[in-house]
Amino acid sequence: MKKLIMALAAALMISAVFAESKKVKSLSFTFASEKFTVKEEFGGSLSAEAKIKFTNLGLSYSTMKIKDTGFSTMSDIYIGRSSTSDFLSDLAGLNAGLKLGLGYAPINNEKTILALHGFAGFDTKLLLGEKQGYSDDEAYLMTFIDLLAGIDVRLAQKLTNSLGLYAGLDLYTNLWGTAYWTEDSDTTFKTKAGGFGIQPRIGLCWNL
């Protein structure tokens, strides 16, 4: 009997993995607001901390794969513009990243999909700034790289036979981060864990 129960459990697990699924693709506008704490170290002897608020606007291409059992996976690639006025000087430039997640879709029918995921990913920002008190040609480049983890909720609502409305909300925190700049190799930057970010999205989806 024990072997039979184990065999049935294994069969259920296998059927969940290989069950039929649908793959929803989407393109959406995103807006993200992030608050991170960056620690600046000068030559290894002195340090200072600064709380930075980033504002990110961009486009996101996402895929969401849902099994008949409700098991759901997601991937999200995004790119856009990022800016902040809370650091060494005003910074603005490019923002890009990748998120991967696993979750469950409590609503999964022909017209509507509502799914929840836990996800992890990385985020990169390439931002330009100008040294205060210098001319316009005294610019510097900062590169921020952060590892993120969080949860999301995503909704796909069928509108026509080929298109649907796509919306969602990501809530996440920073696990680890670092930054590089072109001014002084003796000065290093690290992003402290525990920051907060929120990213709503709205757009269109297909394959629903």
Side-chain angles (χ1 to χ4, degrees), residues 39-48 88 142 178-190:
K39 183 177 181 181
E40 183 180 3
E41 297 182 348
F42 312 94
S45 57
L46 299 174
S47 65
L88 303 175
M142 289 209 69
T178 187
Y180 306 92
W181 72 330
T182 57
E183 286 300 292
D184 183 358
S185 59
D186 291 332
T187 303
T188 60
F189 302 89
K190 294 182 180 179

Side-chain angles (χ1 to χ4, degrees), residues 1 4 10 15 79-80 116 146 187 190 208:
M1 179 62 70
L4 178 60
S15 64
I79 187 169
L116 307 171
D146 292 284
T187 303
K190 294 182 180 179
L208 180 60

